[in-house]
Amino acid sequence: MPKSWTLAGILLAATAIPVMAAEPAAPVATEVATAQKLTLERVFASPDLAGSQPRKLKLSPDGSLLTSLRPRAEEKDRLDLWALDTRTHKEWMLVDSKKLGTGAELSEAEKMQRERARIGSAKGIVAYEWSPDGKSILVPLDGDLYLAGLDGKVSRLTETKGGELNPTISPRGGFVGFVRDQNLYVQPLGGSANGRAIALTNDGAGTVHWGEAEFVSQEEIGRKTGYWWSPDDKRLAVEKFDEAPVGVVTRAAIGANGTRVYDQRYPAAGTPNVLAELHVMNADGSGRVKVDLGAETDIYLARVDWTPDGRSLLVQRENRDQTVLDMLKVDPATGKSTILFSERSGPKSWINLNDGYRALRDGSIIWTSERDGYAHLYHFRNGKWTQLTKGLWVVTGMVGVDEAKGRIFFTGNKDGVLEQQLYSVDIAHPDVVTRRTSPGWWNEATMDASASRIIVSRSSPTQPAQIYLADAAGLRLSWVNENALQPGHPYFPFVQSHRTPIYGELTAADGTTLQYQMLTPVIEPGRKYPVFFEHYGGPHAQTVSRKWGSALHQYLVSQGWIVFMLDNRGSANRGTAFEDHIFRAMGSVEVEDQLTGAQWLKQQPFVDASRIATYGWSYGGYMTLKMLEANPGVYAAGVSGAPVTKWELYDTHYTERYMGDPRKDAKAYATADAIDDAVKIADPLMVIHGMADDNVVLDNTTAFAARMQAENVPFEMMLYPGKTHSAGRDIHVWTTILNFLDREVKNKPAK
């Protein structure tokens, strides 16, 4: 959903957030930099001011190589495949996307997949996969598939007009699987010449798709594929979905040189979803068996996994209301299913899906649940549960499992909500949690299959993203990207003027503690400053944290703005009670809590209370409208980017999770929408939207604009031809925003 489109998310969406080490957070620069003035043009130029960051880091099966996608210094959105020898630290480019690529235009299906993965602007190589034997790498590029050897030789596997989606190498390396023209194909690998692709299905056409993930699975559920190999390469579980029941939205992708019209199947809240089935078939397409997903067809196919021995499938089935999640155990030979266990939400809550689970070789399962109000790890064995972690903090992700030692590695905020650390816990010793990364940083991590080594990513308010390789104890073995703020680093010329955030707490109306962060210029006594009050406000997001911040924020501060952000009730990583405030009530407590932040700002002696501008994108854009509607006169002006204005226009899985079915609770939707109260907006407003947005469709803004125009309420609007939901990455967007705010807020006389 709108979830990742904060300003920081827009500018740092592809940046890894790196490492672990024993030293304290490093202050900026080891040498005195020659001060330069940061410009808006430099913020958006190449190379990235945060430093060139490798992405999609993976260890080879034997751990000898660490591969990654790296942006070019002169073209930060173009990625090439690189390798690093973990023993000698030698590194080299494995695949040059410019030399190998054809420049062919991607299919519309792949463009939309990339947009939903928030990599719509990326070029070159955006994904890759190691072969199980570690001798080659599957590389999708410009709509076709290639197999790259470690010696630099590359062979082309496909050459078609249609393009291949969701390519994978089978677990034993015998096949490549992919989707072409809505059908599932497999292509044998091996020998000097690889085999021809064969279609396992042939009725994919029109509204019927095989092997793909439907729209809401890609956008909201976190499932990007629709087929799964068995561990022995012999069988596949394959989703088939039919979009026929889903309503058609005519989406006009309005571009600079013309308009393309797409009849897009879009499951708006309260309307039918796809009809989804799950089948098991042999690797040649024979022996097809339909899985019993239950009598109720209006469900979500949330997750599908094979058990390590390949004898069973584990299928997560979620009901339409998202209040029950069943874990099904399926016999792949017959399709028969039984319920292993179920998760149920509270009466005024919902199920949050996650990937924090693992089926173990002994038949047990490590599982993440919010059943005690906070996301924690549990061990399910022989029908019994053992809670492995507990407390007033949350597990944010599962990183690795060392089955030999019975040890689970995970990320969480046990040491404070503003930081994310890597921890471990032993199944035999529940509640004994060991931190494996250093305090003062926001850490993310991945591990190899045996959980013997860790790739740690970290950043802090004074150090842009770093990446290092560590052993299982968390001890750093080598830097992958130290990214030190030294001469030669893109940000080094601006180090002297770098400003670090101030963190603090405010109290909501009900006594809840709210976290904020504030970035200020050097405060001159007696001077009052305007405020750029940024917000997101929606669920499943956290904006206040100890990470490296946005270069755009630094630019704003250099222009005399204070930048302020606050995580309201409803935000992520604080437990279900904190998040559940928005149950059937979007646009309520979020607006209240942001008002608490604005009122606090107005009391500060260095803030000009009459010059507080509010900005948000996506859910944040929706929040801008609701804040201006609820509190006229509080904010000097508002900028609303790609806003949801009618939740009935947004998709089923996201919207109904929080708001229920509009056919059953129309009043809640009417209250949450931003249309009826639009006439209450009395402060200057700028609305911005990409004209090819398939996430928050342009209809949201046109409906809002029509209401404002009908009531003769003045506002400004900028539409971007050809731009999608990620339009906020465009320098023209920010030129437009800042011109508006300079005119309506910053350059108005202080009061």
Side-chain angles (χ1 to χ4, degrees):
M1 137 79 186
K3 51 185 161 261
S4 64
W5 298 108
T6 61
L7 169 59
I10 287 170
L11 293 181
L12 302 177
T15 300
I17 305 178
V19 343
M20 123 141 211
E23 74 275 9
V28 260
T30 57
E31 297 183 27
V32 177
T34 301
Q36 291 186 18
K37 186 177 181 180
L38 188 60
T39 65
L40 190 63
E41 289 73 19
R42 181 61 192 91
V43 168
F44 285 89
S46 296
D48 195 310
L49 283 171
S52 179
Q53 288 301 325
R55 313 171 193 180
K56 300 281 186 182
L57 285 88
K58 299 180 183 181
L59 285 163
S60 61
D62 65 359
S64 63
L65 296 180
L66 190 154
T67 47
S68 63
L69 301 179
R70 297 194 179 187
R72 292 174 177 250
E74 75 281 4
E75 191 179 358
K76 63 183 180 181
D77 288 333
R78 174 170 289 279
L79 305 173
D80 303 306
L81 180 61
W82 285 73
L84 170 72
D85 191 307
T86 59
R87 296 159 296 188
T88 66
H89 307 300
K90 177 186 176 182
E91 59 182 7
W92 66 98
M93 185 187 290
L94 269 176
V95 182
D96 184 324
S97 67
K98 278 195 170 180
K99 288 183 179 179
L100 186 64
T102 63
E105 184 176 1
L106 299 175
S107 67
E108 187 65 17
E110 185 166 355
K111 288 178 183 178
M112 291 301 99
Q113 277 196 0
R114 291 189 179 195
E115 182 64 21
R116 289 158 200 154
R118 307 297 188 254
I119 56 170
S121 63
K123 302 173 184 176
I125 303 168
V126 300
Y128 67 96
E129 184 177 353
W130 275 96
S131 65
D133 62 9
K135 295 180 180 179
S136 58
I137 300 173
L138 178 65
V139 180
L141 180 61
D142 294 343
D144 279 306
L145 304 180
Y146 300 82
L147 203 61
L150 304 186
D151 57 0
K153 295 180 180 179
V154 180
S155 60
R156 187 167 187 164
L157 298 179
T158 66
E159 189 171 0
T160 61
K161 292 182 179 180
E164 286 73 39
L165 296 174
N166 307 335
T168 62
I169 296 182
S170 60
R172 292 194 176 179
F175 303 92
V176 169
F178 55 84
V179 174
R180 179 191 294 159
D181 298 328
Q182 299 176 206
N183 284 292
L184 180 63
Y185 286 74
V186 299
Q187 182 166 329
L189 293 177
S192 57
N194 295 300
R196 293 182 58 187
I198 61 170
L200 302 195
T201 65
N202 55 26
D203 59 332
T207 59
V208 176
H209 298 248
W210 283 94
E212 296 179 54
E214 64 272 30
F215 175 88
V216 294
S217 285
Q218 294 180 45
E219 180 63 38
E220 312 297 357
I221 293 176
R223 178 169 61 79
K224 307 301 183 184
T225 187
Y227 71 96
W228 302 265
W229 286 97
S230 66
D232 59 6
D233 278 15
K234 293 182 179 179
R235 290 189 285 198
L236 300 99
V238 187
E239 178 187 15
K240 175 186 179 182
F241 69 82
D242 188 347
E243 293 182 295
V246 180
V248 175
V249 173
T250 300
R251 178 171 61 87
I254 303 170
N257 299 313
T259 299
R260 293 185 180 182
V261 178
Y262 299 95
D263 285 336
Q264 178 182 344
R265 299 279 177 171
Y266 189 93
T271 68
N273 279 313
V274 302
L275 294 172
E277 299 174 354
L278 184 65
H279 297 256
V280 180
M281 61 188 71
N282 295 325
D284 62 0
S286 66
R288 188 182 301 176
V289 173
K290 184 178 178 181
V291 172
D292 180 9
L293 295 177
E296 177 57 64
T297 59
D298 195 6
I299 61 165
Y300 295 106
L301 183 63
R303 300 286 186 272
V304 178
D305 298 275
W306 289 86
T307 56
D309 60 10
R311 295 179 180 177
S312 301
L313 276 170
L314 297 177
V315 178
Q316 295 181 42
R317 176 185 66 192
E318 186 180 41
N319 68 337
R320 174 73 181 253
D321 291 340
Q322 299 179 63
T323 56
V324 180
L325 179 68
D326 295 319
M327 175 64 86
L328 305 179
K329 185 175 182 179
V330 177
D331 180 349
T334 65
K336 182 181 179 181
S337 65
T338 56
I339 297 177
L340 270 183
F341 57 83
S342 298
E343 287 283 339
R344 287 178 167 79
S345 70
K348 293 186 177 181
S349 188
W350 56 83
I351 296 288
N352 282 317
L353 297 173
N354 66 77
D355 292 316
Y357 64 94
R358 181 76 62 85
L360 305 183
R361 287 190 295 268
D362 64 4
S364 64
I365 298 173
I366 304 299
W367 181 254
T368 302
S369 172
E370 294 181 301
R371 62 186 61 183
D372 73 350
Y374 293 84
H376 281 298
L377 296 177
Y378 294 78
H379 186 210
F380 180 76
R381 185 174 186 178
N382 298 327
K384 296 182 179 180
W385 291 97
T386 301
Q387 187 167 359
L388 301 178
T389 64
K390 63 178 62 174
L392 306 182
W393 54 278
V394 301
V395 170
T396 54
M398 188 180 297
V399 175
V401 178
D402 183 339
E403 293 200 49
K405 294 181 179 178
R407 182 166 296 165
I408 318 300
F409 294 85
F410 62 94
T411 52
N413 59 15
K414 184 176 185 293
D415 290 274
V417 70
L418 298 185
E419 299 179 8
Q420 180 170 276
Q421 303 290 343
L422 177 68
Y423 302 93
S424 68
V425 65
D426 291 351
I427 295 174
H429 303 286
D431 295 333
V432 181
V433 173
T434 303
R435 178 168 47 81
R436 302 292 180 180
T437 45
S438 299
W441 304 81
W442 184 280
N443 298 270
E444 296 187 6
T446 59
M447 300 187 79
D448 60 349
S450 62
S452 64
R453 283 196 257 191
I454 315 166
I455 302 170
V456 184
S457 310
R458 75 176 181 184
S459 75
S460 76
T462 57
Q463 172 59 55
Q466 299 178 312
I467 301 174
Y468 66 90
L469 183 66
D471 64 16
L475 178 66
R476 187 174 69 228
L477 302 175
S478 62
W479 286 109
V480 175
N481 184 25
E482 187 175 4
N483 202 30
L485 286 170
Q486 297 174 347
H489 191 284
Y491 194 69
F492 186 73
F494 312 103
V495 159
Q496 282 189 326
S497 59
H498 181 81
R499 301 293 293 165
T500 56
I502 299 165
Y503 296 91
E505 296 179 348
L506 299 177
T507 303
D510 68 348
T512 301
T513 299
L514 307 174
Q515 308 288 338
Y516 74 81
Q517 71 181 61
M518 180 170 59
L519 205 62
T520 74
V522 176
I523 300 297
E524 298 176 13
R527 183 177 172 184
K528 293 179 180 290
Y529 296 83
V531 179
F532 184 88
F533 190 155
E534 181 187 337
H535 50 266
Y536 179 72
H540 276 216
Q542 178 180 345
T543 60
V544 179
S545 61
R546 297 192 188 279
K547 298 179 183 178
W548 180 253
S550 163
L552 188 48
H553 285 172
Q554 294 292 329
Y555 172 74
L556 290 170
V557 169
S558 76
Q559 298 301 301
W561 290 92
I562 291 171
V563 178
F564 183 86
M565 295 190 295
L566 178 145
D567 279 334
N568 50 250
R569 286 171 289 173
S571 302
N573 300 331
R574 294 281 302 275
T576 57
F578 190 84
E579 194 175 16
D580 288 351
H581 282 284
I582 62 169
F583 182 80
R584 306 293 192 267
M586 280 180 164
S588 60
V589 294
E590 315 101 288
V591 174
E592 286 180 33
D593 291 351
Q594 297 297 333
L595 177 61
T596 296
Q599 291 172 333
W600 178 83
L601 283 167
K602 288 174 181 287
Q603 296 169 4
Q604 305 313 303
F606 50 84
V607 169
D608 184 343
S610 68
R611 292 191 294 164
I612 298 178
T614 187
Y615 158 83
W617 196 271
S618 199
Y619 198 106
Y622 161 71
M623 284 283 290
T624 293
L625 302 180
K626 296 295 283 186
M627 289 161 67
L628 295 184
E629 290 171 358
N631 307 117
V634 170
Y635 307 100
V639 176
S640 172
V644 177
T645 66
K646 287 177 62 69
W647 285 108
E648 296 90 334
L649 294 174
Y650 205 69
D651 70 56
T652 51
H653 195 269
Y654 182 92
T655 312
E656 293 174 12
R657 185 187 317 156
Y658 311 113
M659 292 297 297
D661 190 326
R663 296 168 297 186
K664 301 175 183 177
D665 197 349
K667 183 178 179 181
Y669 274 76
T671 302
D673 288 348
I675 300 294
D676 288 349
D677 289 336
V679 295
K680 296 180 180 179
I681 294 178
D683 304 301
L685 169 66
M686 164 71 74
V687 179
I688 300 173
H689 216 125
M691 299 179 79
D693 194 332
D694 84 322
N695 181 338
V696 180
V697 293
L698 184 61
D699 297 32
N700 283 274
T701 284
T702 56
F704 177 83
R707 180 60 186 270
M708 295 285 275
Q709 293 160 357
E711 299 293 335
N712 195 29
V713 179
F715 71 106
E716 297 183 35
M717 182 164 62
M718 179 67 76
L719 301 178
Y720 283 88
K723 296 294 183 179
T724 60
H725 200 56
S726 56
R729 295 177 183 174
D730 194 308
I731 187 173
H732 191 276
V733 171
W734 286 96
T735 301
T736 300
I737 290 172
L738 295 180
N739 284 343
F740 169 74
L741 293 181
D742 283 351
R743 182 176 71 249
E744 296 292 346
V745 183
K746 183 169 178 274
N747 295 335
K748 286 197 171 181
K751 295 181 180 179

